[in-house]
Structures are given as structure tokens and as C-alpha cells.
Amino acid sequence: MPSCGWWCGSIGSTFHHAPGSPRTWAVIVADMERWQAAGNHLAGLQIDFDAATQGLDRYGAFLADARSHLPRPWRLSITGLMDWSANGDPAALARLKPVIDEVVVQTYQGRTTIPGYDAYFRKMAHFPLPFRVALAEGGAWTPPPDLAREPQFKGYVVFLMPKQIRR
């Protein structure tokens, strides 16, 4: 049975060439095409990078370049920090709308849910981008009361955590 998924890249650990270089994008697209040719349904590229809230404009320029190299109909998904909802420049966030298809908002560090996440989600009412909430497998989570009613909320992504190796 073919699988469905995202080709994921973590800037700084997966990209062996300068992010945004023509060689980088050629390698990524070739890998994605090979994966799809093997019978897998590929939704698109998911970039995992914790862009600082104050650096959203620079990150947006990188993402626009990524989008220009990514063939349609593949989608572009990115991880995002909860802080973007509270302290992100609304104009910088709005400029991402034509570039990305969704933000996967990280709610954990390591294996632990970040305390006070509900305060960030109270500020998602005016978040200008479609988003999913990333949960850590086995992490504590109680959905904020109004989250399901947010028009940009598209669901959850559960990140499976590797089991610790016991010696």
C-alpha cells in the first residue's frame, strides 16, 4: 500500500549545502521525485526550522525562494514557534500567506509540552496563516477551549518520539 507523507528537511542538519542554493533545491526536488516515483503519495515539503520571531522577514525571503523551486502541486509546510502568535510582526506573517500552505506550530521542546501553551493559543484568533498544532507523542495536552473554532486551525500533527535506548 503506498504511503502518504511529507518530505521533511531540517535546516542545519539535513541541508549539506547552503540553504537556498540552486544545488540544494535540485537535490531536494530530485529526492522528492524519486520518492514519488516509488509509488508514494507526496503531499509536499515540510521545512523544520525554528526561525526567530524577529527574523520572520529574512525567513520569509528564504521560503519564497523555496516555493519558487518547488513544483506544484506540492505544498510547502513549515514549523513555527508559538511565539509568532504573540510577538510576531503581523505584516511579516501576512507576507508568508502566498508562499506557504501551512504552519505546524510546535508546542514542545524535546519530549515535553511547553508550560503555558494555552496563553499563546489565546492569541491565535488573528493568526493570518493556516496552522496545525504539533504535539509530542505522550506529551501533556489539553486543547484550549476556543482552538477548534479558529478559522485557520486545520488539526493536529503528532510527532512520534523515539524510544530511549536502555543500556
Side-chain angles (χ1 to χ4, degrees):
M1 177 175 180
S3 62
C4 174
W6 291 85
W7 194 94
C8 298
S10 178
I11 297 174
S13 64
T14 299
F15 296 128
H16 302 291
H17 307 286
S21 75
R23 175 154 165 62
T24 299
W25 296 122
V27 168
I28 290 170
V29 170
D31 284 349
M32 293 172 69
E33 288 170 342
R34 269 193 301 280
W35 203 62
Q36 188 163 319
N40 300 293
H41 172 74
L42 184 63
L45 175 65
Q46 208 280 331
I47 296 177
D48 181 7
F49 180 68
D50 295 338
T53 304
Q54 289 71 30
L56 284 173
D57 271 330
R58 286 189 314 277
Y59 189 44
F62 166 78
L63 293 171
D65 184 55
R67 177 76 268 172
S68 74
H69 288 88
L70 189 63
R72 295 283 183 182
W74 287 337
R75 297 182 301 161
L76 180 58
S77 172
I78 64 170
T79 56
L81 304 178
M82 288 190 294
D83 189 58
W84 292 4
S85 67
N87 299 307
D89 174 14
L93 288 167
R95 284 191 289 277
L96 293 177
K97 193 165 187 148
V99 175
I100 65 166
D101 295 289
E102 70 177 14
V103 176
V104 178
V105 179
Q106 304 300 109
T107 62
Y108 61 90
Q109 290 178 328
R111 296 172 180 258
T112 306
T113 303
I114 297 169
Y117 64 84
D118 52 325
Y120 288 100
F121 282 99
R122 282 194 292 274
K123 298 182 183 199
M124 296 298 279
H126 302 291
F127 197 69
L129 304 166
F131 70 94
R132 295 180 192 275
V133 175
L135 305 175
E137 177 185 32
W141 177 258
T142 301
D146 294 331
L147 181 62
R149 290 190 286 277
E150 294 301 332
Q152 297 288 13
F153 175 63
K154 305 301 178 197
Y156 295 96
V157 175
V158 177
F159 281 75
L160 304 177
M161 298 295 167
K163 304 296 181 218
Q164 288 184 341
I165 299 172
R166 294 185 185 192
R167 296 183 194 256

